[in-house]
Amino acid sequence: IHGICYFTFSIIQTFSEVNVLEAVLLDEDDPMSSQFLITVLDPSGDRYFEMRSVRAFQQHYRLKVADFCLPMDHHESQDSIMIVEGTSEDVLRPNSIDKLRVRGITEGIPEVRLERILRRNKFTEAEKFADTFGLSKEDVYKR
């Protein structure tokens, strides 16, 4: 994967430590907080779903997935990041897909989820979320 300048579209860095199979850009309002949702193949042949920062390609999350896995495009109104996995129950034909499974990946830390809701300017939802998890509503009212 190449890191590209937002303004000149020139390659500023190349990241070759991982074998990227699929990639989706999780675009945020602040370009520096945008992330890549990628599926990678590690040297042992296992597939992983990863979230990496756009800026430094630093890994933030990693999950072992099935051989068929695609990250789905993410809309800002979605709460969870979604991936589609294909699985097979036929041991004799492991490359055939019997079932598709949609998995949602949600932030587990309430403070981080609240910040994400606020970035989307959903203040009523943020206020309810803060009440539910016993968080301070000060951040909600600051905006």
Side-chain angles (χ1 to χ4, degrees), residues 107-117 119 129 135:
E107 179 63 53
I109 302 170
E111 291 83 2
V112 175
R113 286 184 66 189
L114 177 61
E115 184 61 34
R116 201 157 158 217
I117 294 168
R119 275 197 311 251
F129 186 86
L135 302 174

Side-chain angles (χ1 to χ4, degrees), residues 54-71:
V54 168
R55 186 174 181 159
F57 207 59
Q58 179 182 8
Q59 178 183 310
H60 296 285
Y61 181 77
R62 183 177 173 129
L63 173 70
K64 188 173 181 179
V65 293
D67 285 343
F68 175 82
C69 178
L70 296 171

Side-chain angles (χ1 to χ4, degrees), residues 13-119:
Q13 193 168 8
T14 300
F15 303 100
S16 58
E17 72 266 9
V18 294
N19 182 5
V20 177
L21 303 171
E22 298 286 338
V24 170
L25 178 64
L26 181 61
D27 202 12
E28 297 287 344
D29 291 334
D30 173 20
M32 293 302 144
S33 63
S34 296
Q35 296 186 53
F36 284 116
L37 309 177
I38 59 175
T39 54
V40 299
L41 189 63
D42 75 355
S44 68
D46 292 330
R47 289 182 197 244
Y48 289 89
F49 168 77
E50 294 182 352
M51 293 176 63
R52 289 183 176 251
S53 65
V54 168
R55 186 174 181 159
F57 207 59
Q58 179 182 8
Q59 178 183 310
H60 296 285
Y61 181 77
R62 183 177 173 129
L63 173 70
K64 188 173 181 179
V65 293
D67 285 343
F68 175 82
C69 178
L70 296 171
M72 296 174 64
D73 284 336
H74 182 61
H75 190 270
E76 67 182 38
S77 66
Q78 284 178 265
D79 225 11
S80 300
I81 294 165
M82 308 295 270
I83 60 175
V84 177
E85 280 186 293
T87 60
S88 175
E89 293 181 6
D90 189 349
V91 179
L92 300 175
R93 297 182 328 151
N95 292 333
S96 67
I97 296 173
D98 296 328
K99 296 178 184 175
L100 289 177
R101 175 175 48 189
V102 178
R103 294 173 78 175
I105 299 164
T106 304
E107 179 63 53
I109 302 170
E111 291 83 2
V112 175
R113 286 184 66 189
L114 177 61
E115 184 61 34
R116 201 157 158 217
I117 294 168
L118 289 170
R119 275 197 311 251

